[in-house]
Amino acid sequence: MTEVEGVAEETVSLDKNDDADAEVPAGGAGDEATTEAAEAAGKDGDDPDAAADGGDPDATADEDESEKSDNSDNSAKAKNAKTVAPLTKAEKRAAARIAAAKAARRRRAGQAIAGTIIVLLVVGGAFAGVWYFGDRAEKNRIKCKPVGDPNAFPQLLGGMNKALATEPKIEASSDQIKSVRPTILVKGDCKTVKAGQTVTVNYVGATMKDGKIFDASWPRKKTIEIPVGQKKLGKQPQVIEGWDEGLVGLKVGTRVQLDIPGDKAYGDDAPEGYPAGTLRFIVDILDVKDTESSGLPAGFGG
């Protein structure tokens, strides 16, 4: 064998040994490297989280949102768990004390209101009693009865309107009337005048078309007494017909305006000294008495 051939064979032999070393049997150094590589590959391939972490940022963001949602749900569940948690005995006792205190305050407020109402009713009742049994009783006691100075003019009965103490004013009117027309100026509330009775009156009379006064009791400071309703009883009137019929049915204490046509006054062709045509009177009825009961004192108009 030549030297060249020997070198070639040795080279071939070394190459074979290298190949044999590459195919290291189990338990050798090659096996350990292979096992580590396989484990590394297995971890990378089998772990989805690792794959996600390494390759998909959106997946990572979704996972963070999912974790936040889970945390929020857990927090809500914890709050609900606290809300529905049963009260302890101490808490129940405290709640009962609070409720009792509120109820006591409500009772005290109700009692205070009721007490105030009772006081107001008592005070109101007292005032009503004073009015009813005091002032009202006094007014009823003197109502429509003589009071004050009997010589005063005019002599008003108790409870009469004070306007009757002032002389009235007459205004002219161009109205054409055909019957007696009474107009109430002050309403009385004493006895009603009946036909056949005698009334005590104050008066002012004027011709209607110009309002010119022709007669009045006020300047003389003396009232007059006249019987009324005579014609209704089939008797001869003692005053003009307008008065005889116009004052019946009115109440004592009344001030009335009587518009009287000529045929129920002094006529359109009146006697000398008397006004002709339509007349207007304002008459105050101050008292009434029965005509047949002569001597009955005045002051019983009530």
Side-chain angles (χ1 to χ4, degrees):
M1 177 183 298
T2 63
E3 186 177 351
V4 175
E5 290 177 348
V7 173
E9 288 179 359
E10 186 175 357
T11 300
V12 171
S13 177
L14 289 174
D15 290 337
K16 288 180 179 180
N17 288 337
D18 291 338
D19 292 338
D21 291 339
E23 296 177 2
V24 178
D31 285 346
E32 290 178 359
T34 303
T35 301
E36 290 176 358
E39 287 177 356
K43 287 180 181 180
D44 292 340
D46 295 337
D47 190 353
D49 293 337
D53 290 342
D56 191 353
D58 292 337
T60 302
D62 291 341
E63 181 179 359
D64 291 341
E65 291 296 329
S66 177
E67 288 179 357
K68 290 180 181 179
S69 177
D70 291 342
N71 291 337
S72 177
D73 291 343
N74 292 335
S75 176
K77 289 178 180 179
K79 289 181 180 178
N80 290 336
K82 289 181 181 180
T83 301
V84 299
L87 298 175
T88 65
K89 291 182 178 180
E91 290 173 337
K92 290 180 179 179
R93 286 194 295 270
R97 285 195 296 271
I98 293 172
K102 289 182 178 179
R105 286 196 296 272
R106 285 196 296 268
R107 284 195 300 271
R108 288 194 295 271
Q111 291 169 354
I113 294 172
T116 302
I117 292 174
I118 291 172
V119 170
L120 292 175
L121 290 175
V122 170
V123 173
F127 278 110
V130 169
W131 171 79
Y132 188 84
F133 295 105
D135 292 345
R136 186 175 184 274
E138 179 63 18
K139 289 179 180 178
N140 287 336
R141 186 182 69 80
I142 67 173
K143 182 178 180 181
C144 301
K145 295 179 174 62
V147 293
D149 184 0
N151 297 318
F153 179 84
Q155 179 64 43
L156 303 182
L157 300 181
M160 282 187 175
N161 193 315
K162 300 303 180 183
L164 301 182
T166 304
E167 182 177 357
K169 305 296 183 182
I170 288 185
E171 295 181 359
S173 174
S174 59
D175 291 350
Q176 299 296 320
I177 63 171
K178 296 182 179 181
S179 61
V180 177
R181 183 175 67 185
T183 303
I184 303 298
L185 304 178
V186 175
K187 185 178 180 181
D189 56 1
C190 295
K191 200 171 191 178
T192 301
V193 177
K194 297 178 182 178
Q197 290 184 316
T198 296
V199 295
T200 300
V201 299
N202 246 347
Y203 70 95
V204 176
T207 48
M208 188 168 170
K209 63 180 180 180
D210 56 13
K212 185 178 180 180
I213 295 175
F214 64 85
D215 191 16
S217 62
W218 288 87
R220 298 190 295 267
K221 293 187 180 299
K222 187 176 181 178
T223 59
I224 66 171
E225 294 182 355
I226 56 171
V228 295
Q230 298 296 305
K231 186 175 181 179
K232 188 175 183 179
L233 297 175
K235 300 179 181 181
Q236 179 64 37
Q238 297 182 32
V239 290
I240 59 175
E241 288 188 35
W243 277 42
D244 188 67
E245 66 178 74
L247 297 179
V248 175
L250 302 180
K251 289 181 176 293
V252 173
T254 295
R255 172 172 283 181
V256 60
Q257 176 178 284
L258 291 177
D259 294 336
I260 304 173
D263 63 337
K264 290 186 179 290
Y266 300 106
D268 293 330
D269 187 14
E272 186 178 352
Y274 292 90
T278 302
L279 305 181
R280 171 169 283 183
F281 289 88
I282 294 181
V283 182
D284 297 342
I285 305 174
L286 303 179
D287 204 352
V288 65
K289 61 182 179 180
D290 292 335
T291 302
E292 289 77 15
S293 302
S294 58
L296 183 66
F300 284 86

